[in-house]
Amino acid sequence: CAPNHKRTEPLTLKRLLSTHASINENNTEEKILTRNPRIDALADIAKEVSLRRGLSAGKNLQQATRDAQAKGDKWRYNIPAFLVAYVSNQPCQYIEEDIEQNRVDPYDELPFSPPKTEMQLEDYASACAAVQNILLSLHSEGLGAKWATGPVIRCKAFRDLMSCKHDDLVVGLLMIGVPHKIPRAPRRRRELVGDTLQDL
């Protein structure tokens, strides 16, 4: 990452690969075809969060279960790599009293605790810029990637799986793989010159 203001180097990335690389007896690296249990756990979290959201949105149990299973399977079998990006020294992401009294459901979305100080905001912005650079780098290598936010990354089960501390703010979950096809670029909502770029 490029040096940021005050060089705090706030971004941390955690990588999950669907298969592990290991050293065999000939001292060469080889792929092990066993599943990464953390990806399986991540897929289970996505499935449970999806099920609850589907039910709360008014879907019947059968439809919500089917949709949640499809999401869990997609995360488990179709996405070969994940990156979790987070920044530390942010406001506490839990209500301490709820944690102490075990009142937090592991799959409920935690309250959002945004940066409060100028330094926290700058660190968060730096981490977001770094994630965008990672996405551009992956695209240049022919890989597909999605920057996901939302209820999965904001639940206690996800934070526990990623060993996040109370002051770690998750910037996003990057899903990485080889695309089956390259989607067409969406139509711009704003004109480049005049809307996005304005001369003074």
Side-chain angles (χ1 to χ4, degrees), residues 1-11 87 117-127 129:
C1 299
N4 65 308
H5 189 213
K6 301 203 182 289
R7 299 192 178 183
T8 56
E9 299 176 355
L11 179 69
V87 58
T117 68
E118 183 178 12
M119 179 64 72
Q120 288 172 342
L121 183 60
E122 289 180 351
D123 284 350
Y124 181 75
S126 175

Side-chain angles (χ1 to χ4, degrees), residues 93 137 142 159 172 177 180:
Q93 300 299 303
S137 177
R159 294 179 61 83
H180 295 295

Side-chain angles (χ1 to χ4, degrees), residues 105-179:
D105 185 290
Y107 302 103
D108 282 347
E109 192 171 345
L110 294 166
F112 179 61
S113 299
K116 289 186 170 58
T117 68
E118 183 178 12
M119 179 64 72
Q120 288 172 342
L121 183 60
E122 289 180 351
D123 284 350
Y124 181 75
S126 175
C128 290
V131 168
Q132 179 68 18
N133 288 340
I134 291 168
L135 293 174
L136 293 172
S137 177
L138 291 168
H139 180 74
S140 74
E141 297 291 329
L143 295 172
K146 175 184 176 182
W147 180 351
T149 58
V152 172
I153 69 168
R154 289 203 296 269
C155 73
K156 185 175 184 301
F158 176 88
R159 294 179 61 83
D160 289 347
L161 180 65
M162 300 302 157
S163 302
C164 292
K165 299 191 301 272
H166 284 194
D167 65 347
D168 291 338
L169 177 56
V170 179
V171 175
L173 173 66
L174 279 67
M175 306 174 188
I176 304 164
V178 178

